[in-house]
Amino acid sequence: MATLGLIGSGRIGTTLARLAVNGGLDIVLSNSRGPQTLAGLVAELGPRARAATPAEAASAGDWVVVSVPFRAYDSLPRRPLAGKTVIDTGNYSPQRDGRVEALDNGSATSSELLQRYLGESAHVVKAFNNIHHTHLAVLNRPAGAEDRTALPIAGDSDEAKRHTTELLDTLGYDTVDAGSLAQGRLFAPGTPAYGAPYTELPIESFGSLAAGAAPAAFLSLKAGPASAAEVRALLAKA
């Protein structure tokens, strides 16, 4: 049985854990506070889930989802992530993470900095960073459904992107390949493809969203599907 390793137990990570178990995957959860703090979530998820250290989750995962604040990326266990498809769900938020010159001047993306830290043996793919966890939890659909939602991904390894596409399909989502890891900026905070496409209202009705806590007006909107064609069009606008 395939296993999803999860480093970080924030809201996106917890939502992905639930989707993974519902999709028939085993899951190994971890966070910075220790396995004992995940007992409640493990009990909720059932026998497919167990808690471990970040290094153990990295070693166990066929995919490893990293869902930690950008400022903590250099605390990730590099050796166990070698050879892995590492899915980065994070966004850079200067208010939370502090200022990073390479990100402020656009010479790099946060996922590119993560890739440099992990080294060439790991294969970072950007995904799940442009959708709110409440929408991610309810928009999944079976393959072939007319209202199936698509999520963009970006990465430098075609094989890792193919592998990530398999995971998204298992979780109930289609995939749009946005290109190289640098192209992750096309669905970063402040772009047309960030957040608003997955609501019931057209993106023009809400405007661009920044990194950080979502405003109340956004959170009051019901989830709405975004097709692959719609996501491609929004990426092109960026």
Side-chain angles (χ1 to χ4, degrees):
M1 180 60 64
T3 299
L4 181 66
L6 178 61
I7 300 176
S9 57
R11 291 173 177 173
I12 282 286
T14 300
T15 299
L16 289 172
R18 294 183 178 119
L19 291 175
V21 168
N22 290 340
L25 300 178
D26 292 334
I27 185 160
V28 181
L29 305 160
S30 68
N31 61 21
S32 61
R33 302 181 301 280
Q36 69 281 357
T37 65
L38 293 166
L41 181 56
V42 169
E44 174 199 329
L45 295 173
R48 289 192 180 277
R50 66 181 176 91
T53 66
E56 289 167 341
S59 296
D62 296 290
W63 308 265
V64 182
V65 170
V66 172
S67 189
V68 300
F70 172 75
R71 66 175 184 269
Y73 81 94
D74 57 0
S75 68
L76 296 171
R78 282 188 284 193
R79 184 172 295 178
L81 290 172
K84 301 282 186 174
T85 297
V86 180
I87 301 172
D88 176 23
T89 74
N91 291 304
Y92 168 54
S93 174
Q95 294 77 15
R96 179 196 62 202
D97 302 318
R99 289 287 178 181
V100 178
E101 183 178 1
L103 302 180
D104 289 338
N105 66 25
S107 61
T109 65
S110 58
S111 293
E112 287 180 293
L113 295 184
L114 173 60
Q115 180 69 76
R116 293 175 195 174
Y117 167 74
L118 294 178
E120 294 182 358
S121 60
H123 309 293
V124 175
V125 178
K126 191 75 166 184
F128 302 114
N129 66 297
N130 74 317
I131 183 170
H132 195 266
H133 69 94
T134 58
H135 301 153
L136 180 65
V138 299
L139 286 176
N140 58 312
R141 299 289 188 274
E146 290 186 2
D147 61 344
R148 204 180 206 212
T149 285
L151 298 175
I153 66 172
D156 293 336
S157 165
D158 289 340
E159 176 59 23
K161 287 191 287 187
R162 183 199 62 76
H163 197 208
T164 301
T165 297
E166 290 180 355
L167 175 62
L168 265 69
D169 184 51
T170 298
L171 301 183
Y173 287 91
D174 287 338
T175 301
V176 172
D177 186 348
S180 69
L181 206 53
Q183 299 305 95
R185 58 172 46 93
L186 298 179
F187 50 100
T191 65
Y194 180 79
Y198 304 104
T199 68
E200 63 181 354
L201 295 179
I203 186 171
E204 292 81 6
S205 301
F206 198 82
S208 297
L209 295 168
F218 174 78
L219 294 177
S220 69
L221 299 174
K222 292 182 180 179
S227 69
E230 290 169 331
V231 171
R232 290 189 189 98
L234 292 171
L235 294 174
K237 287 184 178 182

